[in-house]
Amino acid sequence: MLALPETTMQDLSTQADNLANTVAQSNAVETEALTTLQNTIDDLKKTAAQIECLLGMTTKALAACVARVDAAKGGTETYMKSITTAAQTIADTASRERKRIESIKAEMDDERKTMALDHQQAMNAFMAGKRVSEAVAGDQKKKVKLDIGGQIFSISLSTLLSAKEGFFNSLFREEWNVQPGEDGTIFIDRDPTVYRYIFNYLREGSAFLVPDDTFTLNCVKHEAAFLGLDGLEKVVDGKLATLAANLAAKAAEEDRKRFGFAGPGKFDLSVYITTGC
């Protein structure tokens, strides 16, 4: 076996130690590099996770913004529709008001025409009444013969016109152009039964002799309404009220006699009063 010099052995041992140190250093560097690499990878993973989280949050924020924009757009469209509807409503209302104003104007025009016609008719009536009054003034005792339902009544023209209004006052106006018959009478197609009371009222006013039975009174009232004699209707109403009160008093007195006290005073007046003729 070859023996090496001691110096060579020492060199080789030193080289081996250096090589071992170099390998150890290399392993340490490699380990450090691997550790750094692993830390970098971990950091990258964390960064990626953070980026992914940020992307999710950004996506949600963008979605929320889009939703708000869509909502605002829908609100704007609804608002515009509301404005359009309101404008149409205002236009329709204005159109209706315009038509209503035109209708009112037309009615006012018609009313003015009617008032003008009424005024003219009133003037004509006034002039006709004036002519009648002048004629009566000229002949207060002029006698008129009336054929009422076949019964002849003779009465002065001044008496017939004393009511100042109603049927008889209108009958002798010139515009009615009333012409007597061949026998000189003016025919009136009414029931003559109560006309003597009516003519007495025209002669004497409310002081005339009023009939006492309700049937005749109601017939007089019926004819007074036809003739437009409001004053006579009031006189008859007063008489009917008096008769009703008298009947009530009579009924109470009969109750006293029969039962010893006055009854309630409630009874059917239709038994005593006829409301028509």
Side-chain angles (χ1 to χ4, degrees), residues 56-263:
M57 293 174 63
T58 304
T59 301
K60 290 181 180 179
L62 287 174
C65 288
V66 171
R68 285 195 294 271
V69 170
D70 290 340
K73 181 180 178 182
T76 302
E77 291 177 352
T78 302
Y79 179 68
M80 291 302 296
K81 289 181 179 178
S82 299
I83 291 177
T84 302
T85 302
Q88 185 62 45
T89 301
I90 292 172
D92 293 342
T93 302
S95 178
R96 287 195 299 270
E97 286 299 311
R98 190 182 303 110
K99 291 180 180 179
R100 188 176 69 87
I101 290 172
E102 291 175 354
S103 176
I104 292 174
K105 183 180 178 182
E107 290 177 359
M108 291 178 65
D109 290 340
D110 291 341
E111 187 174 354
R112 279 195 293 269
K113 292 179 182 177
T114 302
M115 290 177 64
L117 180 60
D118 291 343
H119 176 72
Q120 185 61 45
Q121 291 176 345
M123 289 300 297
N124 291 340
F126 172 77
M127 294 305 296
K130 183 178 179 181
R131 288 191 293 269
V132 170
S133 298
E134 291 172 350
V136 173
D139 190 4
Q140 289 288 332
K141 299 301 181 180
K142 180 179 179 181
K143 187 168 63 176
V144 177
K145 295 176 68 175
L146 299 177
D147 181 353
I148 301 179
Q151 185 172 344
I152 305 300
F153 293 87
S154 295
I155 187 170
S156 68
L157 180 60
S158 60
T159 297
L160 290 175
L161 298 176
S162 61
K164 306 300 182 184
E165 59 184 9
F167 178 83
F168 291 121
N169 194 273
S170 299
L171 182 65
F172 294 97
R173 288 180 178 173
E174 291 184 5
E175 61 267 25
W176 278 38
N177 194 24
V178 177
Q179 298 295 329
E182 294 180 357
D183 58 353
T185 62
I186 296 175
F187 178 71
I188 299 175
D189 191 11
R190 302 294 292 178
D191 185 345
T193 305
V194 296
Y195 270 79
R196 64 188 183 91
Y197 297 108
I198 293 171
F199 292 144
N200 284 337
Y201 167 76
L202 292 175
R203 293 184 184 99
E204 303 171 14
S206 59
F208 84 106
L209 184 61
V210 184
D212 289 328
D213 66 286
T214 56
F215 178 81
T216 302
L217 283 171
N218 279 286
C219 289
V220 171
K221 182 178 178 180
H222 179 75
E223 286 302 310
F226 169 77
L227 297 171
L229 300 175
D230 297 336
L232 179 56
E233 284 191 82
K234 292 178 181 179
V235 172
V236 172
D237 285 337
K239 183 64 175 181
L240 287 172
T242 300
L243 288 177
N246 291 340
L247 287 173
K250 181 179 179 181
E253 182 63 26
E254 290 178 354
D255 286 344
R256 289 191 190 93
K257 291 179 180 179
R258 293 176 60 188
F259 307 110
F261 62 89

Side-chain angles (χ1 to χ4, degrees), residues 42-58:
D42 291 340
D43 290 340
L44 289 173
K45 287 181 178 179
K46 290 180 181 179
T47 302
Q50 290 176 353
I51 292 173
E52 184 176 359
C53 181
L54 288 173
L55 285 174
M57 293 174 63
T58 304

